[in-house]
Amino acid sequence: MSESVPTNFIRQIIEDDLRSGRHQQVVTRFPPEPNGYLHVGHAKAICIAFGLAEQFGGRCNLRMDDTNPLTEKDEYVENICKDIRWLGFDWGEHLYSASDYFDQLYVWAKHLVSAGLAYVDEQSDEQIRATRGTVESPGSPSPWRDRPPAESLALLERMARGEFPDGAMVLRAKIDMGHPNMKMRDPLMYRIRNASHHNTGDRWHVYPLYDWAHGQSDAIEGVTHSTCSLEFDVNRELYDWYLDHLPIAELPGSSRPHQYEFGRMNLSYTITSKRKLIALVTEQRVAGWDDPRMPTLCGMRRRGIPPEAVRAMCDDVGVGRTNQLLDPVILDNAIRNALIAEAPRRMAVLDPIRLEIAGRDAAPEWIDAPDWPHDVPKEGSRRVPLGAVALIERDDFEIEPPKGFKRLAPGRTVRLRYGPVVTCTGHEVGADGRVTVVRCRQEPEGFDGKVSATIHWVDAALARDLEVRLYDRLFAVPEPGKDRDFREDLNPDSLKVLTAKAEPALADLEPGDRVQLERLGYFYAEPESWVPDAPALNRIVSLKDTWAKVQARTEAPAEAKAAKAEVVRTVRSLGAVGVALRDAGLSDDQAAVLEGDEALRAWYEQALAAGASPAAAAGLVVTELPRLGKERGGLDAVAFDGVALGRLASLMEAGAVTGAIAKQVLQVMAESGGDPAAIVAERGWSTITDAGAVDKMVDEVLQGHADRVEAYRGGRTGLLGFFVGQVMQRSGGRADPAQVKAALERALAGA
């Protein structure tokens, strides 16, 4: 293996295994579930599994984890294969499916039943969940747990024949209902699904769960190193238990695999939840799974991102034991590095205005223009025409240039890229106040005066129309859906379609070509929408990180500084307790806090016992309790308990009090205790639900800020937050913010 290959902990394990003779050949696998399309988060897992096999001369199996017939399709299988090949990997003859092993898995399931290590349970899903226990308390055994093996075996066979309806019973492993790892509390192995499977048809009526199929499939295929993302670390104990209690060695060609977990990779301003991605597609908020704005690999391919850029990003961020949330600028830079020597240069103008050059003939002069900049070791050029009238970008000219503006303005001199130096002598403005024509004179060759900048252009007479699609981030915030419905965080400017004016050489583009439009970015001639003689280009990436500039104009200075500094954020890894909390609906951060603080976790459990939902309870426990404890010198000095906190959380969730009022209630409770509902009633703090009262406050606020209303209607829509704050202040914090926002939007749009 080349010494230039960077090391990581999994590679070190493999090197040690080969050195010691534990394994003679490395066999890895990538096991996607064919219930959706692969996304950028999968790219790292693919690069690790296939990359390790390549580096050690082994093989990587591609195995479809097709254990749920209700959600899986051949369409997804085909596109998964296409995406992996696009990244540059191939599995050769080693394409498998978990469904290939259904017969063997069923035989092994009967083996565990016969050995008294599995049983058929007739409890409902709700009953099973209710008896699992919590991270602090053991579960309760099923009334069917001690069912005789022969009886369970007979029932399992009837389940497999389709004699029972969905949900009537399940097969569970018989391990330990008091185990600290909740994955070991008699996990489900089979469920009844009287549904047709895309691969096996109607043969089966029971289907294995992931944990039952995963390790055994690895063993059947001879996998030596089973890599998976960090959230599966709590599954490893169950993975090993199944392998330890099955006659794996009796199966020819099998192995005893081991599971190794690595930190996941995701991008900010992105979602990778399949449920949410499916919603975007089915609700037609995007143009399909392969929409170039989507984080799917097929979307990235259609946008024109080169696969080597994705692999370079995965290599650069490394393989570790912590999750990673990457700023998209890391991928953008990898794309630019990949394209700088691949994409020849061309010129196009997106928002043109006429530049009339005095003294030039109308007949064009053809100028030699290099395809590559001086620092790219490639040769080639094309000829670009320039007559008496050119087209330049509208934002390359200012009548009254602001400080720092270095392009064309009255009296200012610039160079036309590859062409002459010109000085502005005048301009014309249309009825709408926008510049329509810029007039200039051409300076003589050898001009030694001050040249402010070089700008790009195209000849007006010979310019070609070119459709340009300017793609940007699909979401406008770093963590979409963190505090609200993710749909509200969609970026309304994620796609702009323009008709640009292009130099004639762009007419020679072929489907799949990539070019750099000078000063505008890298672009891709997308084959999927190619029309002869009417080329269309997708912008892959801009030449600079323009998003950071946009954010700097809209964020508070401190927020902008923090966003710029946070290029890579590692997310604290979760243990068994944290994963269980996350599975209950908490965010990773909330789960990490509660896992690491037993005192706060006790408050959380009390709040749940009082009837609060996990999300509502965690919101108060994690966010508000530490602040109150700090103010009062410790949580022991707070005059209420977790039960009262849970009741307050339930009031918030029911809409009886707003978040702002809940904080005031907490202050009262911290001082003197009391029931939160009684405090709200006594002080008149219940949520204002009367629409007329809200509309009245909205009208009063808008009348008091007429200048800002005018600015909002003139395009400064960011002022909506100011108006919401003013109405909330007027209501004493009692108005529902969502209701206020909706009322404001109606009022501001209606005049």
Side-chain angles (χ1 to χ4, degrees), residues 551-586:
Q551 293 298 90
R553 291 195 295 268
T554 57
E555 294 177 342
E559 294 171 337
K561 183 177 180 181
K564 184 176 180 180
E566 188 180 37
V567 176
V568 181
R569 178 164 68 88
T570 58
V571 181
R572 177 178 172 179
S573 59
L574 300 176
V577 172
V579 170
L581 290 166
R582 183 181 62 195
D583 289 346
L586 276 59

Side-chain angles (χ1 to χ4, degrees), residues 135-294:
V135 292
E136 301 292 343
S137 60
S140 303
S142 165
W144 311 104
R145 195 171 195 268
D146 294 323
R147 162 175 263 159
E151 186 178 321
S152 282
L153 196 59
L155 285 172
L156 176 60
E157 291 173 347
R158 293 179 63 193
M159 290 164 60
R161 288 196 296 268
E163 295 183 18
F164 301 109
D166 290 8
M169 52 191 69
V170 296
L171 182 68
R172 298 177 70 178
K174 189 175 183 179
I175 305 179
D176 182 0
M177 289 302 295
H179 201 286
N181 183 349
M182 295 182 70
K183 291 286 184 181
M184 302 294 286
R185 296 183 185 179
D186 290 12
L188 275 61
M189 296 171 59
Y190 276 101
R191 62 200 163 188
I192 299 174
R193 288 284 188 271
N194 291 296
S196 182
H197 188 279
H198 75 100
N199 197 23
T200 61
D202 297 323
R203 181 183 174 198
W204 292 95
H205 297 271
V206 292
Y207 290 93
L209 275 81
Y210 170 83
D211 283 319
W212 171 237
H214 180 209
Q216 286 62 259
S217 298
D218 284 348
I220 292 169
E221 293 176 7
V223 171
T224 57
H225 299 82
S226 180
T227 58
C228 58
S229 50
L230 194 62
E231 65 266 29
F232 291 100
D233 64 343
V234 295
N235 301 61
R236 189 189 334 124
E237 194 168 8
L238 180 57
Y239 181 100
D240 289 336
W241 188 91
Y242 282 136
L243 293 174
D244 290 342
H245 290 84
L246 292 171
I248 299 294
E250 297 176 5
L251 194 69
S254 65
S255 69
R256 176 57 166 84
H258 288 264
Q259 176 179 298
Y260 303 97
E261 305 87 21
F262 57 86
R264 295 177 64 178
M265 178 195 77
N266 279 318
L267 298 179
S268 56
Y269 297 93
T270 302
I271 58 170
T272 54
S273 160
K274 284 185 180 178
R275 175 181 60 83
K276 294 179 180 178
L277 292 176
I278 288 172
L280 291 176
V281 174
T282 57
E283 295 170 12
Q284 298 184 343
R285 296 176 186 272
V286 294
W289 284 97
D290 65 347
D291 188 302
R293 295 166 293 178
M294 287 280 273

Side-chain angles (χ1 to χ4, degrees), residues 380-394:
S381 64
R382 80 280 187 191
R383 292 170 64 78
V384 293
L386 177 61
V389 181
L391 301 175
I392 64 172
E393 294 286 359
R394 182 171 299 278

Side-chain angles (χ1 to χ4, degrees), residues 530-546:
W530 184 261
V531 177
D533 300 322
L537 294 182
N538 295 342
R539 184 170 66 184
I540 308 169
V541 68
S542 62
L543 295 183
K544 296 181 180 179
D545 183 17
T546 55

Side-chain angles (χ1 to χ4, degrees), residues 369-381:
D371 290 338
W372 309 96
H374 64 86
D375 54 347
V376 173
K378 287 189 174 183
E379 295 182 358
S381 64

Side-chain angles (χ1 to χ4, degrees), residues 385-637:
L386 177 61
V389 181
L391 301 175
I392 64 172
E393 294 286 359
R394 182 171 299 278
D395 61 9
D396 277 346
F397 177 79
E398 288 283 352
I399 299 174
E400 297 180 359
K403 183 178 180 180
F405 185 81
K406 297 185 179 300
R407 285 160 280 170
L408 198 57
R412 187 173 291 181
T413 301
V414 299
R415 180 180 296 280
L416 300 182
R417 181 74 161 155
Y418 310 120
V421 174
V422 298
T423 299
C424 178
T425 58
H427 62 275
E428 296 178 12
V429 178
D432 59 358
R434 303 182 77 204
V435 174
T436 57
V437 176
V438 176
R439 292 189 293 274
C440 64
R441 68 170 181 270
Q442 178 173 324
E443 301 293 352
E445 288 189 29
F447 175 76
D448 59 0
K450 181 180 180 181
V451 176
S452 298
T454 297
I455 63 175
H456 66 281
W457 52 276
V458 296
D459 181 75
L462 297 178
R464 296 287 303 270
D465 285 348
L466 175 71
E467 181 180 299
V468 172
R469 303 160 186 157
L470 302 180
Y471 291 104
D472 213 326
R473 297 177 185 177
L474 185 57
F475 290 93
V477 299
E479 297 183 67
K482 181 179 181 182
D483 302 312
R484 56 181 179 173
D485 189 314
F486 73 97
R487 298 169 183 82
E488 297 182 43
D489 293 325
L490 284 165
N491 176 14
D493 296 319
S494 61
L495 170 60
K496 295 179 181 178
V497 181
L498 307 174
T499 299
K501 295 294 185 178
E503 65 171 87
L506 278 166
D508 299 331
L509 284 175
E510 296 290 339
D513 284 349
R514 297 183 179 92
V515 297
Q516 183 195 110
L517 297 185
E518 299 204 40
R519 298 177 63 219
L520 300 177
Y522 290 101
F523 290 77
Y524 177 63
E526 179 197 315
E528 287 82 353
S529 61
W530 184 261
V531 177
D533 300 322
L537 294 182
N538 295 342
R539 184 170 66 184
I540 308 169
V541 68
S542 62
L543 295 183
K544 296 181 180 179
D545 183 17
T546 55
W547 184 267
K549 295 181 180 179
V550 172
Q551 293 298 90
R553 291 195 295 268
T554 57
E555 294 177 342
E559 294 171 337
K561 183 177 180 181
K564 184 176 180 180
E566 188 180 37
V567 176
V568 181
R569 178 164 68 88
T570 58
V571 181
R572 177 178 172 179
S573 59
L574 300 176
V577 172
V579 170
L581 290 166
R582 183 181 62 195
D583 289 346
L586 276 59
S587 69
D588 281 356
D589 290 341
Q590 289 173 330
V593 170
L594 293 181
E595 181 178 46
D597 192 320
E598 293 184 5
L600 287 181
R601 195 160 71 248
W603 281 79
Y604 169 76
E605 295 287 354
Q606 287 182 339
L608 292 183
S613 71
L620 290 179
V621 170
V622 173
T623 305
E624 300 300 329
L625 259 189
R627 177 180 58 79
L628 286 173
K630 185 176 181 180
E631 289 175 358
R632 306 188 69 81
L635 290 178
D636 292 341

